[in-house]
Amino acid sequence: MTTSQKHRDLVAEPMGDKPVGCLAGIGEVLAKKLEDKGFDKAYVVLGQFLVLKKDEDLFREWLKDTCGANAKQSRDCFGCLREWCDAFL
């Protein structure tokens, strides 16, 4: 699987206070929808990822329901968060 530059940038270092748009698969439109629902930082989406016990199906369904992410966007975001967790948790 090839990864995007956003993916590589996120998993290269601690998450800190990065905006939600830094997550792979989350562009401007999805970022705005997530921000409007209170998911303004990457770490807030990470929290939801962890609440869902890192389950791919549950997380991707949540992302679709929350901001309208398509299959590729939700897959990219899931992969990015999973790899970040593998590196930092």
Side-chain angles (χ1 to χ4, degrees):
M1 175 179 92
T2 60
T3 57
S4 66
Q5 188 62 48
K6 281 172 81 171
H7 178 116
R8 291 187 296 275
D9 288 348
L10 187 84
V11 301
E13 62 188 17
M15 196 169 293
D17 234 13
K18 292 181 178 162
V20 70
C22 287
L23 293 169
I26 307 297
E28 285 183 38
V29 173
L30 295 185
K32 176 76 173 102
K33 289 178 181 179
L34 285 165
E35 288 165 6
D36 288 347
K37 294 191 176 177
F39 296 91
D40 58 333
K41 301 287 185 183
Y43 70 80
V44 182
V45 176
L46 171 66
Q48 183 65 26
F49 175 79
L50 296 173
V51 165
L52 296 172
K53 299 183 179 181
K54 302 190 240 182
D55 181 277
E56 182 170 6
D57 293 334
L58 290 175
F59 178 77
R60 291 180 62 189
E61 186 70 23
W62 171 82
L63 202 57
K64 182 178 115 181
D65 292 346
T66 303
C67 67
N70 66 30
K72 182 186 184 322
Q73 292 162 330
S74 65
R75 184 173 51 249
D76 289 351
C77 188
F78 173 82
C80 179
L81 289 172
R82 182 185 57 207
E83 190 173 326
W84 188 91
C85 286
D86 289 346
F88 292 99
L89 292 183

